[in-house]
Amino acid sequence: MQDLFSRLDAEKPSREEMAAGAWLLNRYALEDANNLLQEIEGISDAAPFRHMVTPGGFSMSVAMTNCGTFGWVADRRGYRYEKNDPVSGKMWPVMPDRFMTLAVSAAKQAGFPDFVPNACLINRYEPGAKMSLHQDKDEKDFTNPIVSVSLGLPATFQFGGLDRKDAVRKYLLNHGDVVVWGGPSRLFYHGILPLKEGVHESAGRARFNLTFRRAVL
Ligand code: MD6
Ligand code: FE
């Protein structure tokens, strides 16, 4: 009861359709958020965050790790999914049940009842870090959506269209927000503007983003 009354309207989950097949589920993961952050700590003990190098030779400003059967990697040879962490040679940490449950239920909410992820890329942004406009196309099968969970400091998400030059719309992604997209917008260009300076009460001076995918090797 207490909880019911102390929660302001502005803090209730709500949803917004960003494009056909693309949903922003505001605060969908908020109740789970601190547990998700704890799981990230455990994963990064086994598979530490690292700044991957692009095929062009640039070190990414976002630090990354993975969990699940497959992990996304970048190096001089390209972008792809790998069963093993190239840093340790060991398999990526198992995807926590809590991650799987959240991703499956968020996908369902957005109209993708059959989504079962096998890969989770974990991004860590510190102030100044950004993700340039890109498409997610290394999964090979685009019938599955991607589920993306934002934790910690807020970030401005840019969401465009199928062409890199298409106009982008901006959305603020806050702690606990979930974006699900697939179908007609699965290959839309998107990015994250440089993270603003700040300290989050649960995540410190950082933003974390979990992106759940179904990859095919
Ligand atoms: C981020 N997200 O939110 C970067 N990709 O930090 C992505 O690049 C992304 O949110 C595919 C689907 C959802 C995403
Ligand atoms: Fe992406």
Side-chain angles (χ1 to χ4, degrees):
M1 268 321 221
Q2 178 84 45
D3 203 44
L4 193 65
F5 292 120
S6 62
R7 195 173 223 187
L8 300 170
D9 265 4
E11 294 168 346
K12 285 184 191 148
S14 67
R15 62 183 54 204
E16 177 179 354
E17 194 170 22
M18 302 159 71
W23 287 90
L24 169 52
L25 309 177
N26 286 117
R27 294 170 287 276
Y28 189 77
L30 192 53
E31 286 177 355
D32 231 7
N34 287 349
N35 291 317
L36 298 172
L37 286 167
Q38 268 202 330
E39 299 278 16
I40 293 171
E41 264 192 47
I43 291 163
S44 65
D45 286 343
F49 283 102
R50 78 292 305 263
H51 294 273
M52 296 182 188
V53 175
T54 64
F58 296 100
S59 180
M60 300 178 78
S61 62
V62 177
M64 298 176 173
T65 186
N66 292 277
C67 66
T69 305
F70 303 119
W72 185 85
V73 299
D75 61 18
R76 292 309 300 246
R77 291 182 290 142
Y79 305 111
R80 65 195 173 278
Y81 284 88
E82 294 265 12
K83 251 187 122 64
N84 297 88
D85 178 349
V87 169
S88 65
K90 294 187 291 191
M91 286 190 295
W92 295 105
V94 170
M95 190 184 298
D97 288 344
R98 189 185 293 284
F99 280 24
M100 178 65 80
T101 304
L102 171 65
V104 165
S105 91
K108 233 176 225 105
Q109 291 290 318
F112 302 96
D114 302 322
F115 180 58
V116 181
N118 60 9
C120 176
L121 170 64
I122 307 173
N123 295 139
R124 186 189 68 202
Y125 297 71
E126 282 170 353
K130 65 179 170 67
M131 178 101 52
S132 305
L133 226 49
H134 68 277
Q135 291 173 297
D136 284 57
K137 52 184 182 186
D138 301 319
E139 297 73 26
K140 294 179 184 165
D141 175 356
F142 306 127
T143 61
N144 282 120
I146 291 183
V147 174
S148 160
V149 180
S150 292
L151 299 166
L153 290 175
T156 303
F157 181 72
Q158 299 178 293
F159 195 54
L162 272 179
D163 195 313
R164 184 183 285 280
K165 297 185 300 278
D166 288 342
V168 297
R169 269 183 297 177
K170 293 178 186 174
Y171 297 86
L172 191 66
L173 298 182
N174 288 298
H175 185 61
D177 288 350
V178 177
V179 176
V180 181
W181 87 68
S185 40
R186 175 64 181 72
L187 290 172
F188 278 16
Y189 276 90
H190 57 281
I192 295 282
L193 293 182
L195 198 77
K196 285 190 189 148
E197 192 57 71
V199 179
H200 186 271
E201 61 171 353
S202 305
R205 197 171 163 268
R207 169 177 184 261
F208 295 90
N209 170 253
L210 310 173
T211 50
F212 296 93
R213 303 112 188 284
R214 180 126 197 126
V216 183
L217 283 201

